[in-house]
Amino acid sequence: MVEASVTQLRELALAIPRPGCEWEDRPRFDSPTAPEIVAAFERAAGFPLPADFRAFLASTGGVVGMSVHNGYWLGSVDRLSLSDFPQSAGGESVAPVGTDGGGNAFLLSASGRVWRWDHETGSVSQVATTFAGFLERVVADWAAYVADTPGWRFLV
């Protein structure tokens, strides 16, 4: 499921920059995350990472698509500072697994739920029950962006 979503994101990335939008940068996909970096992130987070997020990190260490709507930065856990973001949401410990271009963050809980933290209000809202489900929603956002879908409500 995660691998299929990453494949779809890679395919959608090929459509960026969109015609007439030469200022857009094509999204970047990092190399897989080394096991020792994953282990260090887990220790810092204080909980084992869900299998679907581990699969994402094994497939691509990160996805950076800052030209897609308000920007998506997923993974790249070696560059995320845990102290910059909330440490709990919904009564669970969380760790950042992504940000957007506006300074908001996506937080992953030990149970696998993904939350969106609004840096301006401090509010936290659940966006998916699993990282794989969150990634599917990101794919839908990117597809809507590439197609210029009117009225689409982006995560970011």
Side-chain angles (χ1 to χ4, degrees), residues 11-123:
E11 290 169 2
L12 289 163
L14 296 175
I16 300 169
R18 298 170 300 163
C21 302
E22 289 75 27
W23 62 87
E24 294 178 338
D25 291 323
R26 178 163 288 151
R28 182 186 85 234
F29 295 80
D30 293 341
S31 300
T33 304
E36 58 272 12
I37 292 173
V38 174
F41 187 74
E42 277 185 325
R43 283 191 302 277
F47 59 86
L49 297 175
D52 53 358
F53 186 58
R54 285 176 152 280
F56 173 80
L57 294 174
S59 172
T60 180
V63 177
V64 180
M66 296 311 283
S67 290
V68 179
H69 191 60
N70 190 36
Y72 293 79
W73 179 330
L74 309 174
S76 303
V77 296
D78 56 329
R79 293 182 220 138
L80 288 170
S81 169
L82 277 70
S83 63
D84 292 342
F85 305 103
Q87 310 247 319
S88 67
E92 295 182 274
S93 295
V94 294
V97 293
T99 62
D100 67 17
N104 305 304
F106 296 105
L107 309 170
L108 179 68
S109 70
S111 70
R113 295 190 287 175
V114 178
W115 304 82
R116 182 180 181 275
W117 170 69
D118 185 311
H119 81 285
E120 291 179 9
T121 66
S123 67

